[in-house]
Structures are given as C-alpha cells and as structure tokens.
Amino acid sequence: MLAPEPLHLPEDPAQGKDLLDNSTAYAHPESPSVWAARAEDELEGGDPLVAYAYARTGYHRSLDRLRGNGWKGWGPVPYSHVPNQGVLKSIAMLALTSKAIGDEAEYDRCRGMLSDADPAAVAVLLG
C-alpha cells in the first residue's frame, strides 16, 4: 500500500490571534491552536488536570480537523507547514499533560502518533 501524500491543512481560523484571549476561544472553539495554548499555559502555572482537559479537547478538535481534510488515520502531517502546527501541538500537549497526571500509556500513544505524523516534530514539541 502506498503512503498518502503529506497533509497540508488550511489556515487555522485562530492563526495570528491571541490564543489565550477568551474572545478568540469563543469565536474559534474549533481551533486546535486555542486549546493547545490554553493547555500549555495551564500546565506551566496551574492545575495539571485542567491542562489535561484543555489538551484532550484540542486533541479531539485536531482529529476533527484532520479527518475533515481527508486524513484517514495515518500518513504524514508535516510540522513545517504552519497550519499543521496547532494540530501537532495539541497532540503533543495531550502527551505532556498525560505524563503530568501519571498516564504513561497515553503519553506513549500520543508520542507515537506525533512521530508517525512527523518524526521531527517529536524533538520540537516534546523535547
């Protein structure tokens, strides 16, 4: 079976906006970038469980965005394409927040998903 072509998502509707501003979240709840930014902010200085909830929402919004643009559950999603970055960041934030709450299995699953999408993104997003 041939691998699918790399997926290049259209621009995220919240791209270029203040992702932590409530008005951006209310205007663009479908944006994985909004949820990833909120998860990251909460993980850095708040409650890891709240961060996990934001990350889980971003992950599901990411799946919606991927599937809505022809992704069949596998194939390359290059981090170098800026509109893909919010989706990949959301997957990474679910990995990081899962690790923070002690869910190593979910961390590993998300890390693997990120690596399958773009191996270079693992180093950038997970360190």
Side-chain angles (χ1 to χ4, degrees):
M1 177 183 269
L2 296 176
E5 291 293 318
L7 183 63
H8 293 96
L9 294 169
E11 185 173 309
D12 185 309
Q15 195 168 326
K17 296 179 174 63
D18 180 355
L19 298 175
L20 295 176
D21 185 317
N22 282 345
S23 64
T24 301
Y26 285 121
H28 303 290
E30 76 284 5
S31 169
S33 298
V34 166
W35 297 106
R38 287 174 174 266
E40 183 174 40
D41 186 62
E42 190 67 29
L43 188 60
E44 288 175 359
D47 183 342
L49 285 174
V50 173
Y52 175 85
Y54 285 141
R56 177 62 67 183
T57 301
Y59 170 81
H60 284 287
R61 291 301 187 153
S62 293
L63 292 180
D64 293 344
R65 191 159 167 74
L66 288 166
R67 290 178 183 136
N69 285 280
W71 186 72
K72 303 294 186 209
W74 68 290
V77 183
Y79 185 76
S80 60
H81 181 65
V82 173
N84 291 353
Q85 291 177 5
V87 164
L88 297 175
K89 177 83 178 244
S90 287
I91 296 167
M93 288 312 303
L94 183 55
L96 294 171
T97 59
S98 293
K99 188 174 221 170
I101 65 169
D103 190 347
E104 291 294 327
E106 183 70 344
Y107 172 83
D108 291 340
R109 187 188 70 76
C110 291
R111 188 182 192 289
M113 184 179 183
L114 193 61
S115 180
D116 289 345
D118 184 347
V122 174
V124 172
L125 297 171
L126 298 180

